[in-house]
Amino acid sequence: MTTEDSEAQVEPPSLAEEAGVAKDFLEGLLASFELTGQVGSEELDEETVEVAVTGDDLGLLIGPKGQTLLAIQELTRTVVQRKLGARSGRLLVDVAEYRKARRAALERFATGVAGKVKEAGVATALEAMNPSDRKVVHDTVNAIDGVTTTSEGEEPNRRVVIMPDSAGQGS
């Protein structure tokens, strides 16, 4: 039909447009909480933009284990979707470089557990994690020879299992 054709021809918003709407929303959020910070954005690749809030005393926006940050990211994505009518890429939100520190800690933890799994030859199930944390663990462990990963369980209790890689072991 012609309606579908015209909808299909609508250009999705650029990452810069998405970042602009996200920045406006996050600046308003900072003001609402009477927090001081700067909001900037960076295109990480051709389909991912990160909008980052920097400043002091921003722990309120991170919350325990980053749960508040995840909620703010979802709210930000929803605002962008509603204001622009669509989203074209991945939109990440970070506060006080929490994601970078969390990623580094998860990589160290996953590497340590993978070493123990290789040594003992026994699978280890990790605690339940959100999807982005699980991805960091999968990516980290799958770059190590002799171990592999899988996820099991249902959200919000889905967890990564690190196990010996039987295909990579000789007799």
Side-chain angles (χ1 to χ4, degrees):
M1 310 264 346
T2 56
T3 309
E4 289 177 29
D5 292 340
S6 63
E7 284 181 22
Q9 293 173 359
V10 172
E11 282 285 317
S14 70
L15 289 179
E17 290 172 308
E18 290 183 20
V21 171
K23 285 168 66 174
D24 290 345
F25 172 72
L26 291 169
E27 287 166 353
L29 189 68
L30 282 171
S32 295
F33 280 104
E34 298 179 353
L35 295 171
T36 303
Q38 297 75 42
V39 183
S41 65
E42 176 184 2
E43 291 188 19
L44 302 179
D45 58 41
E46 64 262 358
E47 58 187 42
T48 307
V49 65
E50 179 180 71
V51 181
V53 180
T54 55
D56 297 324
D57 300 321
L58 296 174
L60 177 70
L61 299 181
I62 298 170
K65 293 188 177 179
Q67 292 301 308
T68 305
L69 175 56
L70 287 175
I72 289 170
Q73 178 169 277
E74 286 308 308
L75 282 171
T76 305
R77 287 176 175 167
T78 301
V79 167
V80 168
Q81 176 89 30
R82 293 230 169 114
K83 289 221 178 196
L84 298 177
R87 282 196 18 246
S88 58
R90 290 183 57 221
L91 175 67
L92 303 175
V93 175
D94 196 7
V95 173
E97 295 191 330
Y98 175 81
R99 284 189 185 283
K100 185 187 294 183
R102 176 84 174 149
R103 179 178 191 88
L106 280 169
E107 287 171 345
R108 284 190 307 272
F109 173 70
T111 300
V113 173
K116 290 176 184 174
V117 167
K118 268 174 74 167
E119 194 174 298
V122 177
T124 300
L126 306 180
E127 69 182 42
M129 295 179 191
N130 65 55
S132 59
D133 285 355
R134 287 195 310 269
K135 181 173 180 354
V136 171
V137 172
H138 284 301
D139 291 349
T140 301
V141 173
N142 289 325
I144 300 171
D145 287 337
V147 286
T148 189
T149 60
T150 189
S151 287
E152 58 184 39
E154 299 295 321
E155 294 293 351
N157 298 313
R158 198 154 169 79
R159 64 189 68 244
V160 175
V161 179
I162 301 174
M163 56 202 150
D165 184 3
S166 55
Q169 295 176 341
S171 298

